[in-house]
Amino acid sequence: MSGSQLWDDVDFYFTTHLSPDDEALQACLRDSEAAGLPHVNVTANQGKFLQLLAQIQDARHILEIGTLGGYSTIWLGRALPADGRLISLEYSAKHAEIATRNIARAGLDKVVEVRVGPALESLPKLADENPAPFDLVFVDADKANNPHYLEWALRLTRAGSLIVVDNVVRGGRVVDSESIEPDVRGTRAAIEMIATHPRLTGTALQTVGSKGYDGFALARVLA
C-alpha cells in the first residue's frame, strides 16, 4: 500500500468515527464542486478540529479570512452560541454567493456574515466598526498576504485569542529560504512573525491525509 493511500485510509477511518459529514456539510461540498470551486477546502477532520478549537476557546466571536464555499465556516459556526458572531471575508463574489446559500441551509445565517471583497480592504473597514475582539481567527486565504492577515488578526483580537493559519507546509517548500514563490515567502514571513512578535507565541504542525502533505500554525495572543 502506498503512503498516500494509507493516509487516505486513515483519514477515512478517523472521519467515519469522529467527524462524519451530515447532509448540510455534504450538500456544501456537492454545490461547491458543481459550481467549479477549487478543491482546497479543509477536510472533515480538519473542520472538526477547528470546531473543537473554537469550543475550547469558548469563542463567541470568530473571524475567518477566506470563505470559499463555506465548509470550514459551517464547522466553525456550529461552535458558536446562539448570540455568537462569525464574520467571514471572501474575495470572490461567486464563492461568497455559494457559501451564503450553504451557510443558510446549515441554519447558520443568523450568526454568520460573509463579506465580499479583498480582505485587505475589508479588514480596515471591519476595524472601523470597533467590533468586540475576536476569540479565534482562521486564516485560509491567499498565502502571499499571510503576514498582513496576521497583523490584522493581532489588531482585532485580545490576550488569549487564538489565530490559526492553514496550509503552512506548502508541500515542504516552506523550508526553501531562497524561494521567490509568493505563497512560500508569505508563509515564511508569517511563521517568522509568530516566532519573533512579542505578543505572540505559537507552533506549527505537519499533517498528512486525503489532502496530501500540509500543516497549520497556531498562535496565541499574549497580553
Side-chain angles (χ1 to χ4, degrees):
M1 181 182 294
S2 68
S4 60
Q5 181 60 54
L6 183 59
W7 298 347
D8 289 353
D9 291 347
V10 173
D11 243 9
F12 179 77
Y13 171 76
F14 286 153
T15 296
T16 300
H17 286 81
L18 301 174
S19 49
D21 280 343
D22 56 27
E23 176 54 32
L25 288 165
Q26 292 169 4
C28 176
L29 294 177
R30 285 197 304 268
D31 285 4
S32 297
E33 182 174 8
L37 272 61
H39 292 239
V40 294
N41 52 274
V42 301
T43 64
N45 278 331
Q46 293 165 345
K48 183 65 174 292
F49 177 73
L50 291 171
Q51 185 183 89
L52 286 172
L53 287 177
Q55 291 168 335
I56 291 167
Q57 280 291 103
D58 196 21
R60 302 182 66 86
H61 302 95
I62 297 174
L63 174 63
E64 180 181 50
I65 303 176
T67 317
L68 195 62
Y71 187 74
S72 57
T73 319
I74 293 171
W75 280 107
L76 285 166
R78 288 177 170 177
L80 287 171
D83 60 348
R85 185 186 192 200
L86 190 160
I87 295 177
S88 188
L89 309 180
E90 172 54 45
Y91 176 84
S92 166
K94 174 186 175 182
H95 296 179
E97 180 181 356
I98 294 163
T100 299
R101 291 201 302 267
N102 289 332
I103 291 162
R105 180 170 48 214
L108 294 168
D109 47 316
K110 297 294 191 298
V111 296
V112 175
E113 177 187 358
V114 179
R115 299 189 179 186
V116 182
L120 292 180
E121 295 179 8
S122 299
L123 285 162
K125 296 175 183 175
L126 176 59
D128 286 344
E129 298 172 15
N130 195 29
F134 291 97
D135 306 302
L136 186 147
V137 179
F138 179 46
V139 180
D140 190 14
D142 58 305
K143 311 311 173 186
N145 281 313
N146 272 344
H148 303 303
Y149 298 146
L150 193 53
E151 288 171 357
W152 275 107
L154 265 174
R155 297 187 200 186
L156 292 165
T157 51
R158 55 167 177 80
S161 293
L162 182 65
I163 303 169
V164 183
V165 184
D166 200 12
N167 307 127
V168 297
V169 171
R170 314 309 302 153
R173 291 182 296 125
V174 70
V175 301
D176 184 1
S177 61
E178 303 300 320
S179 176
I180 61 172
E181 296 297 322
D183 65 324
V184 174
R185 292 173 66 88
T187 299
R188 286 178 61 89
I191 294 295
E192 289 157 19
M193 182 177 173
I194 293 171
T196 60
H197 199 287
R199 292 189 59 221
L200 290 173
T201 182
T203 191
L205 296 176
Q206 301 178 75
T207 62
V208 296
S210 57
K211 288 185 66 179
Y213 175 41
D214 210 335
F216 55 85
L218 294 168
R220 185 170 177 83
V221 181
L222 304 175

